Amino acid sequence: MKKITVIIFIAVISFGNMMQSKASSITAMQDSTKTKIGFNKSFKFESERKVYENVQKIMDEPELEKQGKKVDVKYDMLGHPISKNITLAKMKPAEMDLPTYDRKGYGYLKAGFGTYISPLFEAVYNNKNASKYLFGFNVFHNSQFGNIKLDSGQKVGAPRSNTLVDLSSRFFLEESVLGVDVGYGNHFNSYYGYVGEVPSAILDDSQNPYHYGDRFSQNHASIGVTFKTEKPADKVSVNSAVKYTYLKTNYDQVENNVVLDLDLLKKFNKLYGGVDFQFVYDGLSNSSHAFPTDLAKDLFFRFVPNVSFRNDLFVGSVGIGVDGSFDSVFGNNILVYPEIHVDYDVLKGYMKLYLSLNGGIKNNSYSKMIFENSYINNSQRVMDSKEKLKMSFGMKGLFASIISYDAFVKYKVVGNEHYWGMQKYVEDNGVEVYDNRFNVFYQDINTTTLGLKLNAVLSKKTFVSAGFQYNNYSLDSDSLYYKPKFEFDVNGHFQVTPRLSLNSKVNFVGEQNGMVYSINTVDNGVGKENVAKQANNAVLIKSYWNIGVGAKYELPYNLTVYCDFENLLNQNYQKWLGYNENGFEFKLGATWNF
């Protein structure tokens, strides 16, 4: 269950990325693995272990060792269009992240089970080193069919399932790399949540009014093609991708999504000139014979010409961005914004200052909304948001040779930021009934964020990472919904023996508001007609702690057994109003690398 909040912060940091020079001897201590495959012109096979969080493809980076910017184009297999961001980091050779497997082999199997009847299975394989091509696949399944206790004390069935199948290939040409990615996924969950006691009229009605107990499922398929060149810096380098995604739900919502991404870069003396272009088409309709809807179309484009430069201490990129959104439902928008990124090494290796100033239109879509909140009302039309200004300033580096830090301040001004609300009905007999599906609403909001990330190598066997941030909001309405003000995470890892390792985590999310609204109705002589939305009612969602511990033991023949214990305080906390999460949970399983 994933959510897109204004601030999402998870403080799990890979040693190989953050403190390679100080902690290379304990990279094997990481809790899970993800292999990075590096390509260079000799097509050598290289790998290193990284934290593996989800099944995601990252398009090949252009080979820009001497250039001042890095462009990442990310795919995910749950219907997201390609997202693009620029980071001013020292470049490495062109590389692609593929799913999990150990450095000693090319395959990975994982199987497990746990409370709430939760089977887990994952299989990954990548072919051995080949001079002309690389092929890999990933299969993932996780499901749950147990009961969850609501705030009223009622226990209800809360089935959910997520299945992904992902195929990837890379073909090495004379001066370029061609990639093809194909994916399929299925996700389903139940509308099991409810605010307060579930009325017996709903439980006894086989038609399940207000969708209580109904299932929501989606199927999505995608194909993506990437192409990048590996040419000298004074030649035009091309980094491009095109992806098509088809999504359909059991409520006959159909979305067709096409993304085209093209980045060009060329060296001019000591500068590098670039042009980034993106085009997105979203088409959403309902194919139901009973309730068909017209096709809602959204055309989005982004055009960012830029100049980048660097030396031993200073890296910078300056550009102007132009975004456009042409929506058949909500109208047209054009936004012009700066695109500025600067890094400066004050004390090389120990203190770096960075500044970013940009903006843009946030291209929203139906598939993005159900990825964030799968308890959505399916009859939604989605509006793009205008990120009028995004600014971040920070300082990061090393302290006392064992602690890495990143302290930052962020400020964001957004128009039409979306939030969620559920409707309350009043029956003729005066009984209040809640529709446990969420509708999308919009508000203008300004956000200021203060944050700090820390990563400490305490010994050759122990490390700790921590992060926290505070968010302050200014908005155009009376209440703020689904945006906590404070969050923090602490994660620890201890290598007890060469084969046995322990890990722990503590996560805290501050209180926030859910939103309930009702509709005024009148009798028009034929039936009841909705005439006006009443004022929103904020409902408090309590803060919660999630504390977990786990262990992993490595056996011969690349076998590993593991156990994880989550939510040790046994809290049925809520992320979405009315939808309690599992209480105490454990998982047991094994992995095999081959």
Side-chain angles (χ1 to χ4, degrees), residues 37-143:
I37 297 177
F39 296 119
N40 54 33
K41 292 187 177 180
S42 61
F43 306 127
K44 290 182 179 179
F45 176 89
E46 300 172 352
S47 65
E48 61 183 31
R49 302 178 73 177
K50 290 183 61 180
V51 173
Y52 175 73
E53 294 180 343
N54 53 26
V55 182
Q56 188 176 69
K57 296 293 184 300
I58 301 179
M59 198 184 81
D60 303 295
E61 299 169 357
E63 191 171 15
L64 306 176
E65 180 65 39
K66 298 181 180 179
Q67 301 176 10
K69 76 182 182 115
K70 175 172 107 178
V71 179
D72 290 343
V73 181
K74 296 186 178 181
Y75 295 88
D76 69 53
M77 304 312 300
L78 291 177
H80 272 197
I82 301 170
S83 64
K84 179 174 61 177
N85 61 322
I86 297 175
T87 57
L88 293 172
K90 183 179 179 181
M91 289 305 305
K92 298 179 180 179
E95 58 192 26
M96 175 183 66
D97 285 351
L98 288 177
T100 309
Y101 60 95
D102 188 79
R103 68 175 73 188
K104 298 178 182 179
Y106 303 90
Y108 174 85
L109 290 175
K110 182 176 183 180
F113 68 95
T115 49
Y116 304 98
I117 318 176
S118 299
L120 169 68
F121 175 78
E122 184 176 8
V124 177
Y125 178 78
N126 292 275
N127 69 300
K128 295 184 178 181
N129 185 26
S131 61
K132 297 296 184 182
Y133 67 92
L134 182 70
F135 171 79
F137 72 85
N138 175 271
V139 178
F140 173 86
H141 174 80
N142 191 19
S143 56

Side-chain angles (χ1 to χ4, degrees), residues 576-590:
W576 302 105
L577 183 63
Y579 284 86
N580 289 23
E581 295 293 320
N582 296 334
F584 170 76
E585 183 175 7
F586 75 86
K587 289 185 179 180
L588 305 174

Side-chain angles (χ1 to χ4, degrees), residues 416-559:
N416 296 327
E417 176 80 0
H418 71 273
Y419 66 96
W420 304 93
M422 61 170 53
Q423 186 173 350
K424 177 177 68 176
Y425 300 85
V426 180
E427 298 294 295
D428 293 336
N429 58 6
V431 175
E432 294 183 346
V433 180
Y434 293 88
D435 185 348
N436 56 359
R437 302 173 302 170
F438 291 87
N439 293 301
V440 184
F441 301 96
Y442 301 89
Q443 63 185 350
D444 296 340
I445 184 169
N446 302 342
T447 306
T448 303
T449 300
L450 305 177
L452 176 66
K453 304 176 186 179
L454 297 173
N455 200 36
V457 182
L458 303 180
S459 70
K460 290 184 178 181
K461 294 184 177 182
T462 307
F463 77 81
V464 176
S465 64
F468 64 89
Q469 59 187 40
Y470 172 78
N471 307 308
N472 183 61
Y473 304 98
S474 174
L475 58 159
D476 63 350
S477 58
D478 295 334
S479 297
L480 182 73
Y481 305 106
Y482 293 105
K483 297 186 187 299
K485 289 189 174 182
F486 186 71
E487 299 177 72
F488 75 80
D489 294 86
V490 179
N491 299 269
H493 186 98
F494 180 65
Q495 195 73 31
V496 182
T497 70
R499 292 184 179 273
L500 175 64
S501 62
L502 305 177
N503 59 80
S504 63
K505 68 175 184 180
V506 177
N507 170 239
F508 173 80
V509 177
E511 64 181 27
Q512 52 191 313
N513 287 324
M515 192 269 275
V516 173
Y517 68 96
S518 56
I519 298 292
N520 284 335
T521 61
V522 296
D523 194 335
N524 60 12
V526 178
K528 290 186 176 180
E529 179 183 11
N530 295 337
V531 295
K533 176 186 170 186
Q534 291 181 342
N536 301 338
N537 296 316
V539 181
L540 180 67
I541 298 177
K542 297 179 181 179
S543 60
Y544 63 87
W545 296 81
N546 187 6
I547 301 175
V549 296
K552 181 173 64 173
Y553 189 82
E554 297 183 6
L555 301 171
Y557 304 106
N558 294 325
L559 288 170

